[in-house]
Amino acid sequence: MELTRSLTTRRGFLQSVGGAAALAATAGYPEWVFAQTRSGVLNAMLNVEPATLNYALLNTSVIQSVCGSINESLLLFDWQLKPQPNLARSFSVSPDGLVYTFELEPDVKWHDGKPFTSKDVVFTCAKMLRELNPRSRAAMDRCESITAEGDHKVVFKLKEPFNAFILAFMASTGPMMPAHIYEGTDFRNNPANTAPIGTGPFKFAQWSKGNFIKLVRNENYWRKGQPYLDEVTFRIIASAEQRAVALETGAVDMAFGDDLDPIDVPRFRDSPGLVMVQNAYDAVGEITLMEINQRTAPFNDRRFRAAIMHAMDRNFLVDQLNFGMGRVADSPIFSTVPYYDPKVLTQYEYSPAKAKALLDDMGLKPGAGGVRHKFSVLMLPNQDGPWRRAGEYSKQALADVGLDVELQSTDVATFYKRNGDWDYDVMWNSYGQFGDPAIGMSRFFLSNNIRKGVPQTNTQGYVNPKVDELLQKGATAVKREDAQAAYSELQKILTEDVAMLWMYERRKPLFHAKKFKDVVLGPNGPCDGFGAAKPA
Amino acid sequence: MSTRATFLARRVVQAAMVVVGVVFLSFFLVRLAPGDAAMAIAGETGYSDPQYVADLRREFGLDKPVLTQFGIYLSKVAVGDLGFSYQKRQPVYDLIMERLPATLLLAGVVIVVSLIIGIFVGAVSAKYAGRFVDGVLRIFLMAFYAMPSYWLGLVLVLMFSVHLGWLPAFGIETMGGDPAPMARALDIGRHLVLPALTLGLFFAAIYARLTRAAMLEVVNLDFVRTARAKGISETRLFIRHVLRNALIPVVTYAGLQTSALVGGTVLVETVFSWPGIGRLAYDALIARDNNLLIGIFIFTSVLVVIFNLVTDLLYVVLDPRMELGK
């Protein structure tokens, strides 16, 4: 492994990390690690009952929180989103960025005792994820071939370089699934979907429907000395108030990022018995924003979009409505994701006067009652909580500059139907970046991703050939500096153009009881499992 | 055919028509809203493409014309198959059966306890009508009747779970609790107290008010005066004659409420994370899991019909002058 390869290229960087990871994995653990007490139960909670426990079939955050301890990925990612070994003890990337080779841990077994081999990896990536999971499919469809070389080596050959490819092996996107359980079956209706089998530190034990899910220690876990805990349980608690009570009374030891209304965060943040982890979801990198349907006037006018940005006090959204759990979003790229470049961004400070001036310039003068223009804003369908408050704030803030907003609320299905059918003027939304702009961001600006009837695409109808070109260049650049150059220019254009109304980066806090430590070890949070969690 | 058999036959036919009506109405009503399960799932996963949405629609049969979907659904329901849940990918019948015991337990305890409390309090209130005891009881009854159950539930949680720490705030049992039957029953009983109180106090207030009003009406009727003239004791008169005759409206209301409770415990089941049908219906509604939602509608409508039938039969037991079917 070429540890001396220059770190100045993305390829060299990736190869070096792979090499270092291999060394770390083979160096062995100190004795004191194994001497750690192996006992305890970590009680977590879920805000809704998972539809399935097939991680590949549906990877919502709730399913990720449970399955992260059952199914593992080839790689883990550290706080800087650098890949680290997991089921793959090492990996390398060819100089042309087209061939990714993974060496697998040799002594890994599925929970039913069958060996984990390269056949499982090929099955998972080439078949199961490709068929079931759109985010994985977007990466795996770029492969010319996925082949096993022996039992513990897998080679992915890409049709063209795709520098975000390695992120497809993050747990939330690329969980490994057992070929011997799923191959040749109906993936969607396999009995293992409710009693999953993985390689992870905990094994599925019980699912009391509507009540709780229980995982127990995997005694044959391949990572020596782990897991430390006997059990991890997930109590299903549908009401936000009850989840706060559960954490407050110690009935549960942990609250995931969506479990608490931010209004409850300050008192838990100050609680002496709890630890708050605010970057547990940075790998998702969620930006709360407003999409604007740019097919008609005045929404297709940059000045109108800029006016809305100036009219909204985004610091208020972060500090008052989200109690500091976030950061003003000033770029289409989440600030902890690679390629974020604050130097090139056009900023839109809170200034109702500037907003009014822009609207005046457009000829949108105040009419009766001071109203310049009327339009609708569709709110995110989460009943109460920060998104509803943000929606209500937007009506108030925009009214101050003469924009009369009709707030609309819907259920989830209607919301995404209207999103996919472009049936909105302006709508609140919240999108994940998943570690790289090529995965989480490009889909909203690529003109070839304007697809009626499909939510979470370029529903705004944004078309800019230069942006298309830069997105392609950024995703396929072999050298990191080339990708950075493309993405920097892209951020400059998109923010100048106000291609979307980015409001704030959502930093969902994860709370856990102080009596546990090492609960969250990376920006993928619970998705990476609780194998390392232990009594403090 | 006897009167009772004719009555039953007629009610079964009516019941079947009600259920068919429910199938028809619920199938089309839930489809009036824009969007479907495919859209809900595609949006929820945070990443979507045309193939994903098309695959989901095909899997759920949503790519077919609505009338074709209805024909397929009807043919399945006719043989007792409620279909597959879109979201949970399990048979709807199995999902309902998994949750039914919890709802029946909650609803059963609520009905029994609220009837006992309601009738007792109503009778005491009627007995002491216009006096201090009656006044105090009526204030409480009005308060419990007026309180929103969602709010009352949270107040009870704050009081008994957060501040006093006496009772569990959510769930049906303790995870990893003692599996011995008696210990488990006690554990479930402790979990049952707060949701049952939340629902039960409301219903007890209604039954008490109904009992009081009916008893005050009955107590002035001729047969009561006659009974008293015959020298019957006041206690016997009150219980055997006045209360019994006053129970007709209470039984009517309890019958209606019992059936409504089975499908109407959504709020309380959500507040207390009680794993029953109400919460299942709520989850199905949010996910636009139409098969599951309609399955629950059909199931609860059958229960409504059965409870109504039982209520009709109870009338006759309570008042033999009433004839079946009249």
Side-chain angles (χ1 to χ4, degrees):
Chain A
M1 189 59 63
E2 303 123 318
L3 277 175
T4 53
R5 184 175 286 275
S6 165
L7 287 173
T8 55
T9 65
R10 182 176 175 84
R11 184 179 67 236
F13 158 78
L14 291 176
Q15 286 174 332
S16 303
V17 169
L23 284 178
T26 52
Y29 294 86
E31 280 303 313
W32 63 266
V33 170
F34 307 130
Q36 176 72 42
T37 309
R38 296 182 71 203
S39 66
V41 177
L42 178 65
N43 292 307
M45 57 185 164
L46 304 174
N47 55 43
V48 66
E49 176 156 63
T52 174
L53 291 181
N54 179 337
Y55 205 164
L57 178 60
L58 196 63
N59 59 1
T60 61
S61 62
V62 166
I63 293 170
Q64 289 170 3
S65 298
V66 180
C67 293
S69 290
I70 301 172
N71 296 94
E72 295 178 293
S73 52
L74 293 188
L75 301 171
L76 295 174
F77 287 78
D78 66 17
W79 292 110
Q80 284 72 45
L81 282 172
K82 291 176 186 164
Q84 301 293 333
N86 202 32
L87 288 175
R89 65 195 306 184
S90 67
F91 74 93
S92 63
V93 186
S94 67
D96 58 6
L98 289 173
V99 182
Y100 287 68
T101 306
F102 293 86
E103 296 280 351
L104 306 182
E105 280 286 344
D107 299 318
V108 179
K109 287 194 167 28
W110 294 100
H111 293 157
D112 60 2
K114 298 278 194 304
F116 166 75
T117 68
S118 50
K119 187 187 170 195
D120 294 301
V121 179
V122 173
F123 165 75
T124 301
C125 297
K127 273 189 160 176
M128 195 164 178
L129 286 173
R130 209 170 190 168
E131 181 180 327
L132 298 180
N133 189 308
R135 195 161 75 231
S136 304
R137 179 161 53 232
M140 295 306 158
D141 276 355
R142 293 172 180 266
C143 291
E144 189 178 285
S145 66
I146 303 172
T147 50
E149 293 185 2
D151 280 349
H152 300 108
K153 188 172 176 181
V154 186
V155 179
F156 294 77
K157 280 189 185 158
L158 273 61
K159 295 171 194 163
E160 63 173 346
F162 178 49
N163 53 41
F165 187 66
I166 204 70
L167 287 158
F169 302 99
M170 186 182 273
S172 53
T173 305
M176 290 299 118
M177 305 300 287
H180 66 281
I181 298 290
Y182 282 101
E183 196 157 34
T185 70
D186 176 1
F187 302 153
R188 293 173 176 83
N189 296 303
N190 191 298
N193 293 354
T194 51
I197 287 174
T199 59
F202 292 94
K203 296 192 290 186
F204 171 81
Q206 187 187 1
W207 185 351
S208 172
K209 293 290 170 61
N211 204 12
F212 63 84
I213 294 168
K214 184 159 91 175
L215 312 183
V216 295
R217 180 210 306 272
N218 174 8
E219 297 288 0
N220 301 313
Y221 188 47
W222 60 274
R223 207 185 280 274
K224 261 189 166 180
Q226 287 191 12
Y228 300 99
L229 301 174
D230 293 325
E231 290 178 11
V232 180
T233 65
F234 302 87
R235 171 72 88 170
I236 299 154
I237 305 177
S239 139
E241 292 83 1
Q242 284 284 42
R243 290 194 293 275
V245 166
L247 188 64
E248 188 158 11
T249 56
V252 299
D253 306 305
M254 183 170 3
F256 295 128
D258 289 314
D259 285 348
L260 300 174
D261 188 319
I263 212 162
D264 287 318
V265 166
R267 68 192 170 104
F268 288 122
R269 185 172 47 200
D270 300 335
S271 167
L274 292 172
V275 174
M276 184 176 85
V277 186
Q278 217 187 325
N279 47 2
Y281 298 93
D282 275 6
V284 176
E286 191 180 332
I287 298 181
T288 298
L289 46 89
M290 287 197 273
E291 288 180 280
I292 186 159
N293 193 337
Q294 298 173 31
R295 292 172 179 82
T296 55
F299 311 113
N300 58 0
D301 191 318
R302 182 212 163 266
R303 291 170 297 177
F304 188 81
R305 302 193 294 267
I308 294 181
M309 291 293 272
H310 282 302
M312 296 284 290
D313 184 352
R314 291 177 291 157
N315 283 308
F316 178 83
L317 284 173
V318 173
D319 297 334
Q320 305 302 317
L321 299 187
N322 284 278
F323 299 88
M325 298 294 107
R327 172 186 182 278
V328 167
D330 52 7
S331 163
I333 299 178
F334 196 87
S335 59
T336 62
V337 165
Y339 311 118
Y340 169 75
D341 187 351
K343 297 186 297 293
V344 301
L345 306 173
T346 303
Q347 300 288 348
Y348 297 90
E349 76 281 9
Y350 173 57
S351 171
K354 282 189 180 174
K356 286 176 188 170
L358 283 162
L359 294 171
D360 284 340
D361 190 43
M362 286 176 68
L364 289 175
K365 304 286 185 190
V371 174
R372 297 166 186 267
H373 188 67
K374 283 185 177 183
F375 59 98
S376 65
V377 171
L378 187 59
M379 290 193 290
L380 272 156
N382 80 328
Q383 301 136 30
D384 292 309
W387 285 333
R388 173 168 287 278
R389 291 194 283 271
E392 287 162 356
Y393 167 71
S394 63
K395 179 177 174 65
Q396 202 175 317
L398 295 176
D400 288 347
V401 298
L403 297 175
D404 185 7
V405 163
E406 180 206 347
L407 283 182
Q408 298 179 340
S409 62
T410 64
D411 69 337
V412 175
T414 309
F415 179 84
Y416 288 115
K417 164 87 173 155
R418 291 185 61 179
N419 179 246
D421 287 350
W422 319 332
D423 179 18
Y424 64 89
D425 293 332
V426 175
M427 72 190 296
W428 281 90
N429 217 328
S430 211
Y431 288 135
Q433 302 261 311
F434 309 113
D436 194 288
I439 299 175
M441 187 267 278
S442 61
R443 57 195 169 136
F444 303 116
F445 303 105
L446 281 168
S447 60
N448 64 5
N449 202 34
I450 298 175
R451 301 168 188 276
K452 193 155 195 179
V454 185
Q456 314 272 30
T457 53
N458 182 354
T459 69
Q460 297 187 121
Y462 181 80
V463 179
N464 185 334
K466 183 67 182 170
V467 165
D468 288 343
E469 182 194 320
L470 289 169
L471 284 168
Q472 169 71 8
K473 203 182 272 185
T476 56
V478 176
K479 290 183 179 174
R480 185 185 175 99
E481 57 264 35
D482 291 343
Q484 181 65 66
Y487 285 129
S488 288
E489 191 179 352
L490 183 83
Q491 289 171 83
K492 184 173 185 299
I493 293 172
L494 290 177
T495 54
E496 269 176 9
D497 216 8
V498 203
M500 201 177 244
L501 308 172
W502 303 283
M503 292 290 124
Y504 59 93
E505 294 179 356
R506 199 161 166 242
R507 308 294 286 270
K508 304 184 287 189
L510 180 148
F511 286 93
H512 68 78
K514 229 172 212 165
K515 61 184 180 182
F516 295 99
K517 63 180 180 180
D518 297 337
V519 175
V520 177
L521 295 179
N524 218 14
C527 301
D528 287 342
F530 299 116
K534 55 182 82 71
Chain B
M1 194 180 275
S2 69
T3 311
R4 184 158 297 190
T6 310
F7 169 76
L8 281 173
R10 197 164 63 230
R11 292 307 304 266
V12 167
V13 171
Q14 284 173 350
M17 287 167 62
V18 168
V19 173
V20 169
V22 167
V23 172
F24 184 85
L25 275 177
S26 53
F27 186 90
F28 288 102
L29 279 176
V30 295
R31 277 168 173 75
L32 282 181
D36 55 28
M39 276 297 181
I41 292 173
E44 212 184 4
T45 53
Y47 202 102
S48 186
D49 63 23
Q51 185 186 332
Y52 189 54
V53 175
D55 284 351
L56 288 170
R57 287 235 164 82
R58 193 166 42 249
E59 184 193 351
F60 301 154
L62 298 171
D63 56 337
K64 297 183 175 67
V66 175
L67 284 179
T68 309
Q69 291 178 41
F70 184 61
I72 294 169
Y73 187 73
L74 210 55
S75 65
K76 284 184 176 171
V77 170
V79 293
D81 178 2
L82 294 176
F84 247 67
S85 155
Y86 297 153
Q87 204 207 22
K88 297 178 187 295
R89 293 176 164 93
Q90 291 174 62
V92 166
Y93 180 79
D94 292 354
L95 287 168
I96 293 174
M97 284 300 139
E98 278 172 359
R99 302 295 190 94
L100 186 63
T103 294
L104 287 182
L105 175 65
L106 177 60
V109 168
V110 166
I111 289 294
V112 171
V113 171
S114 60
L115 271 174
I116 291 171
I117 295 174
I119 292 171
F120 176 76
V121 171
V124 170
S125 194
K127 174 93 175 155
Y128 299 100
R131 291 155 74 176
F132 178 73
V133 175
D134 179 39
V136 171
L137 286 176
R138 287 173 69 191
I139 288 171
F140 276 103
L141 294 179
M142 182 56 78
F144 288 130
Y145 178 70
M147 275 181 204
S149 57
Y150 186 82
W151 181 82
L152 177 62
L154 291 176
V155 168
L156 290 175
V157 165
L158 272 178
M159 194 186 298
F160 292 105
S161 301
V162 178
H163 293 306
L164 298 172
W166 290 351
L167 292 166
F170 52 81
I172 191 170
E173 61 183 315
T174 306
M175 283 187 295
D178 189 343
M182 185 52 74
R184 190 165 177 234
L186 283 173
D187 183 45
I188 292 174
R190 287 184 70 238
H191 283 80
L192 191 56
V193 173
L194 293 185
L197 266 183
T198 303
L199 270 175
L201 286 174
F202 170 75
F203 286 112
I206 293 176
Y207 298 143
R209 286 160 61 85
L210 280 174
T211 305
R212 181 183 181 278
M215 286 182 75
L216 289 179
E217 193 181 321
V218 171
V219 82
N220 292 319
L221 294 180
D222 291 345
F223 77 91
V224 175
R225 193 163 40 249
T226 307
R228 192 173 275 133
K230 284 168 73 178
I232 195 166
S233 76
E234 273 301 304
T235 308
R236 187 180 164 85
L237 173 75
F238 204 74
I239 294 171
R240 285 289 302 273
H241 296 279
V242 178
L243 183 59
R244 185 171 176 179
N245 281 284
L247 282 183
I248 298 290
V250 178
V251 169
T252 307
Y253 195 80
L256 290 171
Q257 286 307 318
T258 303
S259 47
L261 254 182
V262 175
T265 53
V266 178
L267 269 182
V268 169
E269 288 187 0
T270 303
V271 170
F272 291 99
S273 295
W274 192 261
I277 284 183
R279 244 186 68 204
L280 188 67
Y282 175 79
D283 290 346
L285 186 68
I286 296 296
R288 204 63 74 75
D289 192 341
N290 290 349
N291 272 0
L292 181 54
L293 198 58
I294 299 167
I296 294 170
F297 286 162
I298 294 172
F299 196 84
T300 49
S301 70
V302 169
L303 288 178
V304 168
V305 166
I306 292 171
F307 282 128
N308 283 347
L309 192 59
V310 171
T311 308
D312 283 351
L313 291 171
L314 268 178
Y315 284 160
V316 183
V317 175
L318 284 170
D319 188 351
R321 291 170 303 170
M322 298 179 83
E323 289 179 31
L324 287 170
K326 290 190 178 175

